[in-house]
Amino acid sequence: MRVPLSWLREYVDLPATETGRDVQAKLISAGLEVETVEHLGADLKGPLVVGQVLTIEELEGFKKPIRFCTVEVGRANGTGEPQEIVCGARNFSVGDKVVVVLPGATLPGGFSISARKTYGKTSHGMICSSDELGMGDDGTHGIIVLPPETEVGKDAVELLELVDEVLDIAVTANRGDCLSIRGVARETAIAYGLPLRDPALLDVPGPNAYGYPVKVSDPAGCDRFTARTVTGLSPEARSPIWLQRRLQKVGMRPISLAVDVTNYVMMELGQPLHAYDRGQVQGTIGVRRAQEGEKIVTLDGVERKLHAEDLVITDDRGPIGLAGVMGGADTEIADHDPSEEGAGTTDVIIEAAHFDQVAVARTARRHKLSSEASRRFERGVDPQAASAAAQRTVDLLVLLAGGTAEAGVTEVIAPSAPHTITVAADHPDRVAGVTYGRETVVRRLQEVGCDVYGQDELIVTVPSWRPDLTDPNDLAEEVIRLEGYENLPSTLPRPPAGRGLTGRQRLHRRIGRALAGAGYVEALNYPFVSEQVFDQLGLEADDPARRVVKLVNPLSDEEPALRTSLLPGLLAALRRNDGRGSHDLALFETGLVFQPRDAARAAANLPVDRRPSPDDIAALNAALPDQPRHVAVVLAGAREQAGWWGKGRPADWADAVEAARTVAREAGAELGIRKGQYGPWHPGRCAELTVTVDGAERVVGHAGELHPRVVKTLGLPARACATELDLDVLERVGDTVPQAPSISTFPVATQDVALVVDAYVPASDVEAALREGAGELLESIRLFDVYENAEQLGEGRKSLAYALRFRADDRTLTVDEASAAREAAVALATDRTGAVLRG
């Protein structure tokens, strides 16, 4: 919400010395997030005056239209003579009043103006557009043409209110009242201890039988609807400069008088309004839910198919607006066209209604149509302000467009009672740990608009503009924030001695440091995915990873589910970085994935006035999905850079497998690696990763090169590789007790063996047989060569060469002992895998 300081001063008598920075500090102390203070016109220096175009000469022979103009600026130039100016704009004529900047002035951005020769003429200044003056978009995309009655020679800086300070406030979802000048003025008045001139305190006539007919069929969706009619508006009337400037300062573009007035009142009071061309409305205005399949063309020119939950405004033809979101094109206010006599809207119906927050939010999201109106309704609008906003709109239209307010006033109101909260007078004291006292509590609650009665137990009636105040803790928060968060005492927690990180936390940090040491960079991604990503990853239709937890209120409709794998987010980060020129990538992430339980349960609301019991927490955890922690890495490009030391090499499947080994080593788990095939991985370059849990082998992840089809579908670099592991299972089976390395005084005996096996036999099976057959004398085993040659080995055969290291703890092994262990290992490998000694 952008709040001009000049507008704010209309409702709060701030000291003249107070700057935007001062107001920012006060509002931040009161709990509002004022992000920036924009100084409009800070680097603007005159003379900047109103001029009248006397003559226009079209210059020929240039690539674009150029005009040589003489402009009267009064005595502003010191001579009284017309000013000669070269200009390329086409949207003004002889006799128009324009804004002229004279030599010696400086425009926003530090642009200095001086007399200069251009296009064969000398230009003594410039005729200005709104962009050149830093005013924002005025809809003309050309020179500012002022009203004919504007005085020639008048200071344009003052006329256009070019110097001001604008506070940019990030309004949280619970403070919809601050999406208006009225709401921010109330907070400012409280912060300074000054009275507020409430712009909503207007004399409003009561409803009568002469108003425009309105029928509300869904009082739950619309509990208040006010309709007023203004006739006889002048189609030629345009928004005055002050009105246009205020809209521009709050970030809105002037459109037409009727629309500008409704936008102005919305920004002033926080009540969205809509103006209908009365001549285009047929019959009674209604409010109801849409019928499935109904259509409407909204003001943005898009035809929208309506949903049965959409709340719509109707007339006898059908829907003429999406309630609280956007009006329809059929009843749009028509602009005046000078070429057509009588063109333009002269009679309007003003709608000021209060719609259900949830209905408006869902409609806006369903149609991907966010507007200033829907933004306010979603966060809460004061229902009592509707009639005042309608009256304010009527008054401005009568004043600025010469219209006549009809006597009829329509108000359809669903009966409701004000919200009342019972709270102990010392409740804010107990929440904050500070003794405020009853008088302070009552005074602060009354300042925000509450009616307060009672002594030790207070009965608080919440003001209509604060729907976020629903329970005693909300009232306590109001007292605490107005008394100043900075005044709360700070007490450092005292952790018990001897307690630090948990074993699980230490493991996660070790894994992160190990992967970082191996050249990986940690990337943190959002835990949201679309269900289409599982098709892109090539998962089978019955894959458990396709079972997802869906969010009721997702941040994006395109990603409504919680992730069951870390790969979608990491691969998106890989693609994004590769697209921005970083081609040699190695990323990792550790995070939770979410797996729905077989039996869905609804989570209970935990109490806020006491510590939840173990049973409460257990019931809450039982309703949550399983959330195991995974670790994943992705690689692309060069793994080792080329240089004087060598040619370097690209990342491949073996690096992905080594990353899995690194994680397993840190977890103290023994990782089994064998050929596998799953989802996004290349079937010939995929390793299945296993561990033994309670005597049974369990798959904990996969590693290798991604399938070319997945790479192409996701737009990834060629030959990208990835690994994903279930970290919780590794932690369960791992032994994280540090083991000191054993250093033997006895020499090692090395024996090499080359075995020929069928090509389909996994090397891991051969290695397991050799390890078991060699017995306890075997210290380590390493596969150092794989050889395939049909002429020497036979069709479908391969040779696996292993280096076996033997060592005893208490003696030097003899050649016979090492050879016997080797032969035992080969014998078991032969028996289990059909291996034959090569050569």
Side-chain angles (χ1 to χ4, degrees), residues 93-156:
S93 306
V94 172
D96 283 346
K97 303 288 180 66
V98 294
V99 178
V100 178
V101 57
L102 301 177
T106 302
L107 294 182
F111 182 59
S112 298
I113 302 299
S114 61
R116 63 191 182 95
K117 190 169 184 179
T118 178
Y119 297 103
K121 301 284 186 178
T122 300
S123 182
H124 298 272
M126 187 168 73
I127 302 175
C128 298
S129 68
S130 59
D131 286 339
E132 290 163 341
L133 296 179
M135 296 170 56
D137 184 13
D138 64 355
T140 64
H141 304 293
I143 293 302
I144 301 171
V145 178
L146 300 172
E149 64 273 13
T150 309
E151 179 185 350
V152 173
K154 184 178 178 65
D155 184 2

Side-chain angles (χ1 to χ4, degrees), residues 31-163:
L32 293 185
E33 186 180 349
V34 185
E35 293 186 326
T36 59
V37 178
E38 184 179 352
H39 297 270
L40 302 182
D43 52 356
L44 177 66
K45 187 175 112 177
L48 189 72
V49 298
V50 176
Q52 184 172 23
V53 180
L54 300 179
T55 64
I56 298 177
E57 177 187 350
E58 301 288 345
L59 301 182
E60 305 293 339
F62 300 102
K63 293 182 179 179
K64 61 180 181 178
I66 298 297
R67 312 168 97 186
F68 180 65
C69 311
T70 58
V71 184
E72 181 186 354
V73 294
R75 302 293 303 178
N77 58 4
T79 64
E81 296 295 324
Q83 202 78 2
E84 296 179 338
I85 299 174
V86 175
C87 183
R90 312 290 296 175
N91 67 312
F92 64 96
S93 306
V94 172
D96 283 346
K97 303 288 180 66
V98 294
V99 178
V100 178
V101 57
L102 301 177
T106 302
L107 294 182
F111 182 59
S112 298
I113 302 299
S114 61
R116 63 191 182 95
K117 190 169 184 179
T118 178
Y119 297 103
K121 301 284 186 178
T122 300
S123 182
H124 298 272
M126 187 168 73
I127 302 175
C128 298
S129 68
S130 59
D131 286 339
E132 290 163 341
L133 296 179
M135 296 170 56
D137 184 13
D138 64 355
T140 64
H141 304 293
I143 293 302
I144 301 171
V145 178
L146 300 172
E149 64 273 13
T150 309
E151 179 185 350
V152 173
K154 184 178 178 65
D155 184 2
V157 175
E158 178 184 352
L159 175 69
L160 299 177
E161 302 177 16
L162 297 178
V163 179

Side-chain angles (χ1 to χ4, degrees), residues 602-769:
N605 291 325
L606 294 182
V608 296
D609 57 346
R610 60 178 174 82
R611 181 185 178 86
S613 67
D615 291 341
D616 291 334
I617 296 176
L620 178 63
N621 288 333
L624 297 176
D626 290 327
Q627 301 176 55
R629 183 173 290 272
H630 282 201
V631 58
V633 305
V634 293
L635 305 101
R639 185 64 176 139
E640 295 178 3
Q641 295 290 341
W644 58 266
W645 53 84
K647 295 182 178 180
R649 67 175 184 84
D652 61 16
W653 62 268
D655 294 301
V657 174
E658 182 57 30
R661 288 196 178 100
T662 299
V663 172
R665 279 195 299 270
E666 293 298 326
E670 186 176 344
L671 193 65
I673 301 173
R674 64 189 182 201
K675 183 179 179 181
Q677 183 174 347
Y678 177 71
W681 280 276
H682 192 298
R685 302 186 183 100
C686 173
E688 189 173 73
L689 311 173
T690 64
V691 295
T692 301
V693 182
D694 298 330
E697 192 175 59
R698 178 172 172 179
V699 177
V700 292
H702 296 82
E705 183 181 317
L706 296 176
H707 198 290
R709 183 170 57 250
V710 173
V711 169
K712 181 179 179 180
T713 302
L714 295 178
L716 302 174
R719 309 299 292 270
C721 302
T723 299
E724 184 165 15
L725 286 163
D726 189 328
L727 198 50
D728 283 357
V729 177
L730 290 179
E731 179 186 3
R732 177 181 168 188
V733 302
D735 181 6
T736 57
V737 177
Q739 299 291 331
S742 60
I743 301 176
S744 177
T745 60
F746 299 100
V748 67
T750 302
Q751 297 271 351
D752 292 346
V753 59
L755 301 176
V756 178
V757 296
D758 290 331
Y760 63 82
V761 176
S764 59
D765 290 353
V766 179
E767 180 180 323

Side-chain angles (χ1 to χ4, degrees), residues 529-612:
V529 296
S530 66
E531 293 184 86
Q532 287 74 25
V533 75
F534 301 124
D535 295 327
Q536 296 170 340
L537 292 177
L539 299 186
E540 299 291 338
D542 58 349
D543 194 298
R546 285 182 174 270
R547 293 185 62 237
V548 295
V549 177
K550 290 189 177 180
L551 299 172
V552 175
N553 190 25
L555 291 179
S556 169
D557 291 337
E558 296 178 357
E559 295 180 332
L562 292 174
R563 66 188 178 191
T564 56
S565 166
L566 300 182
L567 288 183
L570 267 182
L571 293 176
L574 183 75
R575 178 180 64 247
R576 185 164 52 251
N577 282 274
D578 180 72
R580 294 176 181 177
S582 298
H583 304 301
D584 303 325
L585 296 162
L587 308 177
F588 83 94
E589 180 179 11
T590 61
L592 301 179
V593 298
F594 305 86
Q595 299 168 350
R597 298 180 187 268
D598 294 333
R601 300 183 185 178
N605 291 325
L606 294 182
V608 296
D609 57 346
R610 60 178 174 82
R611 181 185 178 86

Side-chain angles (χ1 to χ4, degrees), residues 290-359:
Q291 298 173 7
E292 195 69 44
E294 280 187 310
K295 295 181 179 179
I296 182 175
V297 178
T298 46
L299 289 174
D300 56 359
V302 177
E303 183 180 78
R304 303 181 186 277
K305 186 176 181 180
L306 300 178
H307 187 275
E309 291 185 7
D310 289 337
L311 194 65
V312 293
I313 311 298
T314 64
D315 64 3
D316 290 351
R317 294 167 297 179
I320 59 173
L322 286 173
V325 180
M326 186 174 285
D330 290 343
T331 56
E332 181 180 6
I333 299 296
D335 289 335
H336 171 64
D337 187 350
S339 63
E340 296 183 23
E341 184 177 352
T345 298
T346 58
D347 302 338
V348 298
I349 301 171
I350 305 300
E351 166 212 302
H354 184 258
F355 300 111
D356 177 61
Q357 292 178 245
V358 175

Side-chain angles (χ1 to χ4, degrees), residues 129 172 174 411 435 449 490 544 596 637 694 813 824:
S129 68
T172 54
N174 65 318
E411 280 197 9
T435 302
S490 58
D694 298 330
L813 293 178

